[in-house]
Amino acid sequence: QAHLVESGGGLVQAEGSLRLSCAASGRTFSATCWFRQAPGKEREFVSVIDWSGAYTDYRDSVKGRFTISRDNAKNTVYLQMNSLKPEDTAVYYCAVGSFISTDLRKYDYWGQGTQVTVSS
């Protein structure tokens, strides 16, 4: 099992920055992924990182603006979000699973989510 806690969300103006954290406890997993869900929309993939940190992937709309990283000594994965846009507004969730995937169905444990709101 795993327990995940996200933090770092908030209200920021467009072009601002936020850093989300996902602190994990319990067993380790091969993949940690960030998803987001805006009101009235489906939950969507944002970024994923493997256990070593050597492999990362991003959805096209955040490439060049978001950076995923991890500190295994702290059991924490980060999502640095720069040049934020109003369309980035959503609840951001981290999830862990045994395989790298952009499919939310492949992830076994989820955090409670953290709200990110970007004003124009």
Side-chain angles (χ1 to χ4, degrees), residues 1 3 6 9 24 26-27 39 46-47 53 65 76 100 104 106 113 118:
Q1 289 188 338
H3 181 62
E6 301 100 332
R27 57 166 285 199
V46 177
S47 182
R65 300 189 297 122
T76 301
I100 293 286
L104 59 86
K106 301 297 185 183
V118 184

Side-chain angles (χ1 to χ4, degrees), residues 15-72:
E15 297 304 314
S17 298
L18 285 173
R19 188 177 79 157
L20 305 184
S21 298
C22 173
S25 60
R27 57 166 285 199
T28 57
F29 288 82
S30 298
T32 303
C33 195
W34 286 97
F35 292 87
R36 67 186 182 187
Q37 188 165 21
K41 295 188 177 181
E42 294 186 350
R43 194 169 297 189
E44 64 183 19
F45 164 77
V46 177
S47 182
V48 63
I49 189 168
D50 72 348
W51 170 250
S52 71
Y55 177 87
T56 60
D57 193 16
Y58 302 88
R59 70 178 299 106
D60 286 346
S61 63
V62 308
K63 285 180 180 177
R65 300 189 297 122
F66 290 12
T67 302
I68 193 170
S69 62
R70 67 187 308 143
D71 183 341
N72 287 340

